[in-house]
Amino acid sequence: MTKIRVTIWNEFRHEKSHKAVADMYPEGIHGQIAAFLGTNADIETRTAWLDQPENGLTDEVLANTDVLIWWGHMAHGDVLDSVVDRVQTAVLGGMGLICLHSAHFSKIFRRMMGTSCSLKWREVGERERLWVVNPGHPIAEGIGEYFEIPHVEMYGEFFDIPTPDELVLMSWFQGGEVFRSCCAWFRGKGKVVYFRPGHETLPIFYQPEVQKIITNAVRWAKPAAGGRMTMTAPNYPAIEKFTVDE
Ligand code: ZN
């Protein structure tokens, strides 16, 4: 079986500077995501982080990545623009990109969206109910009508994104807000998924439904048949023989 090669990228700074984060995710958020994804026979994982050379995302790493998962929060501005260019090119060529939670403000997500990606937020630990609004979508497989996360940071509309090509989940929060919490877009030959749940001090990446959706999203976002393509704007010869009237 050809495995889906997933690279999980993390800033990996909160875990080093905040004890509560290190206690919640002792192997790093990337380590926890790699741990649950790695239990699937069809997925193989590697990790990369901000403070590695070239932010851990060299041409070689991206060439061997089918789906890139992105976690960032406190250091979006430290990501090299040259790396953002490289990731964008890989996505347009067919690589999948899954942006989690506070990655809404990452350079790469904003690049792929072309909008501010602003939203409302509040951190009081309220409950979130996530409704499946596209039950036939592969990313929602196995989730049922809805699921709940007991304590979250709220993200509310207006979420400044282009209208999603596919909307999978809508969230409701105890405080009254709603949010488009799982969205998908096609960009070039590639696919981009945004999935809202997360937060570095909450056990959200241990929750089975969250793990299931990220796993489903990896399978959905993997490159389409035929592999990568390069967007080069070619001068293209006609397929039919014909003459043009003088
Ligand atoms: Zn957060």
Side-chain angles (χ1 to χ4, degrees):
M1 185 199 328
T2 306
K3 294 193 177 194
I4 307 170
R5 301 165 300 173
V6 179
T7 299
I8 301 127
W9 188 90
N10 182 10
E11 282 179 358
F12 198 27
R13 289 211 179 149
H14 274 304
E15 293 92 333
K16 295 171 183 164
S17 59
H18 295 66
K19 186 173 184 306
V21 182
D23 289 347
M24 182 60 70
Y25 294 105
E27 305 301 320
I29 289 174
H30 55 302
Q32 169 55 15
I33 294 170
F36 71 75
L37 282 177
T39 63
N40 297 283
D42 61 335
I43 293 173
E44 68 179 35
T45 63
R46 69 198 289 176
T47 57
W49 55 91
L50 181 62
D51 292 324
Q52 292 176 308
E54 299 184 60
N55 301 154
L57 297 175
T58 61
D59 284 324
E60 186 272 334
V61 169
L62 291 177
N64 291 289
T65 298
D66 295 319
V67 179
L68 177 64
I69 296 180
W70 197 276
W71 171 273
H73 185 208
M74 63 186 284
H76 295 313
D78 292 353
V79 176
L80 296 168
D81 290 331
S82 58
V83 169
V84 177
D85 291 343
R86 191 182 290 163
V87 173
Q88 180 188 25
T89 299
V91 173
L92 296 177
M95 185 183 76
L97 174 68
I98 300 173
C99 293
L100 301 173
H101 188 60
S102 44
H104 74 93
F105 252 180
S106 62
K107 283 186 182 177
I108 185 59
F109 186 64
R110 294 166 74 181
R111 173 76 66 84
M112 299 315 300
M113 296 296 104
T115 54
S116 76
C117 302
S118 174
L119 46 73
K120 296 192 182 87
W121 64 279
R122 175 175 62 238
E123 196 173 347
V124 299
E126 65 207 273
R127 182 160 46 97
E128 176 179 11
R129 183 176 297 135
L130 298 97
W131 290 93
V132 174
V133 294
N134 191 344
H137 200 285
I139 295 178
E141 188 194 323
I143 294 303
E145 218 178 353
Y146 67 87
F147 73 100
E148 295 185 351
I149 305 176
H151 303 288
V152 302
E153 175 188 20
M154 185 282 297
Y155 278 4
E157 300 279 351
F158 174 57
F159 185 20
D160 184 20
I161 48 172
T163 299
D165 293 319
E166 300 181 357
L167 179 60
V168 183
L169 294 168
M170 282 285 302
S171 286
W172 164 92
F173 298 87
Q174 276 185 293
E177 289 81 4
V178 296
F179 192 78
R180 290 167 288 175
S181 50
C182 185
C183 311
W185 298 263
F186 294 86
R187 290 289 184 268
K189 197 182 178 185
K191 306 186 193 82
V192 178
V193 177
Y194 175 78
F195 184 44
R196 194 208 86 78
H199 201 62
E200 58 281 359
T201 54
L202 294 169
I204 289 170
F205 292 122
Y206 295 97
Q207 185 165 336
E209 296 95 334
V210 170
Q211 296 180 357
K212 177 75 175 155
I213 287 170
I214 293 172
T215 306
N216 289 345
V218 163
R219 292 179 178 135
W220 182 80
K222 73 179 181 187
R228 303 271 185 96
M229 65 188 289
T230 310
M231 305 297 167
T232 54
N235 183 329
Y236 199 69
I239 294 166
E240 310 295 339
K241 282 194 167 58
F242 64 97
T243 55
V244 178
D245 294 341
E246 292 296 324

